[in-house]
Amino acid sequence: AQSVTQPDIHITVSEGASLELRCNYSYGATPYLFWYVQSPGQGLQLLLKYFSGDTLVQGIKGFEAEFKRSQSSFNLRKPSVHWSDAAEYFCAVGARSGGSYIPTFGRGTSLIVHP
Amino acid sequence: KAGVTQTPRYLIKTRGQQVTLSCSPISGHRSVSWYQQTPGQGLQFLFEYFSETQRNKGNFPGRFSGRQFSNSRSEMNVSTLELGDSALYLCASSLDPVLNEKLFFGSGTQLSVL
C-alpha cells in the first residue's frame, strides 16, 4: 500500500529565509506526487504536481519541488518565505484504484513564519 | 466561476444522531471525493463518485455513506454518530476523472459530536 511521510510536524522560519519541506513516499509504481497547502479554516489548494518528465517542477506562489526517485522523495522548496506562507502543507501520492488515482496524504507540516 | 461549495459550514450533533453533508462541485466537474480530516488521523479518504457511481471507497465503517446526483452534486451521510466522528469533512471535485491531477477543495463542514 502507498504511504507518505512528512518527517517534520512543525517548521519555523524567519520571513525572507529559504524553506525546504520534506516528503518521502512509498509506492510500487510510477508515482504521481502533489503538494497542497491549507490555510486555517480553509480547504486545500494545489501548489504543484509531478507526473513525469522534468524532475524539478514549478508551482504557484514561488514554490518548487524536486522528485528524486532514488531517495523516494519529493521535497518542497521556496527561496524566500513570506509571512503569508504560514499554513499547513500536505504532500500526497496518487495511487491507481478503480479507474482513477486517489491521493494519499501525509500528516502535514505546519509552517510558522517569524517576522 | 464558483468554487466547491459545502454546506453547512458548521454542525453540532449528539451521539446516535445522523447527519447529511452536502457538496456542490465546480461546474463541469463530474468527479467528487470526500475526506475526513482530524488532528489525530490527518486526511483520510472516504469515497469518490463519478457519474453517480461510487468508484472508490476508503476504509470507513458502513455508517458512512454517500451518493452523487445527476447534476454532480454529492451528499454524504453518517448514521449513528460517535464522538470520534467529530472532524472537518472536506469535499473535492476534479475535472479530470482519471488522474484527479488537480483537486479543488471546498472549505469543509466542521462536525462536532457531543
Side-chain angles (χ1 to χ4, degrees):
Chain A
Q2 69 279 359
S3 66
V4 175
T5 301
Q6 294 180 246
D8 304 305
I9 298 174
H10 303 282
I11 281 194
T12 302
V13 299
S14 298
E15 191 170 15
S18 63
L19 170 70
E20 182 170 34
L21 302 183
R22 296 183 291 164
C23 171
N24 292 97
Y25 68 90
S26 174
Y27 185 57
T30 301
Y32 291 131
L33 297 163
F34 309 85
W35 275 98
Y36 282 84
V37 61
Q38 184 180 33
S39 298
Q42 300 297 316
L44 281 70
Q45 180 185 22
L46 179 69
L47 284 175
L48 46 79
K49 61 184 186 291
Y50 171 80
F51 284 163
S52 64
D54 193 350
T55 56
L56 184 63
V57 293
Q58 303 296 321
I60 62 171
K61 305 185 180 187
F63 286 93
E64 67 177 26
E66 185 172 13
F67 169 60
K68 293 185 177 180
R69 185 185 298 276
S70 62
Q71 298 176 20
S72 297
S73 69
F74 189 56
N75 294 347
L76 181 70
R77 300 193 294 249
K78 186 170 185 178
S80 178
V81 170
H82 188 261
W83 64 266
S84 60
D85 293 324
E88 190 87 15
Y89 291 80
F90 294 91
C91 181
V93 61
R96 183 87 185 194
S97 176
S100 65
Y101 285 84
I102 302 300
T104 295
F105 290 89
R107 297 298 298 271
T109 297
S110 177
L111 175 64
I112 301 165
V113 180
H114 281 315
Chain B
K1 201 175 204 181
V4 177
T5 303
Q6 291 188 246
T7 56
R9 187 70 178 90
Y10 301 95
L11 209 48
I12 300 175
K13 292 287 187 179
T14 57
R15 279 181 300 174
Q17 288 186 309
Q18 76 166 16
V19 67
T20 299
L21 312 181
S22 179
C23 172
S24 293
I26 291 173
S27 178
H29 288 196
R30 291 192 294 157
S31 174
V32 174
S33 52
W34 289 88
Y35 289 82
Q36 181 196 65
Q37 185 177 26
T38 60
Q41 299 297 320
L43 273 160
Q44 294 186 285
F45 170 73
L46 280 158
F47 22 67
E48 181 208 19
Y49 288 89
F50 176 70
S51 292
E52 302 178 64
T53 301
Q54 185 180 88
R55 283 202 298 193
N56 288 288
K57 189 177 192 302
N59 188 27
F60 278 81
R63 300 185 297 106
F64 291 81
S65 63
R67 59 179 176 169
Q68 186 181 33
F69 302 94
S70 58
N71 61 358
S72 295
R73 190 177 70 84
S74 178
E75 289 181 348
M76 67 163 282
N77 183 277
V78 188
S79 62
T80 319
L81 283 166
E82 300 177 0
L83 296 178
D85 297 333
S86 295
L88 179 66
Y89 290 87
L90 292 167
C91 167
S93 72
S94 172
L95 181 62
D96 182 338
V98 176
L99 292 180
N100 282 322
E101 63 175 319
K102 185 172 184 178
L103 295 177
F104 290 84
F105 283 82
S107 296
T109 293
Q110 184 67 56
L111 172 65
S112 297
V113 182
L114 306 177

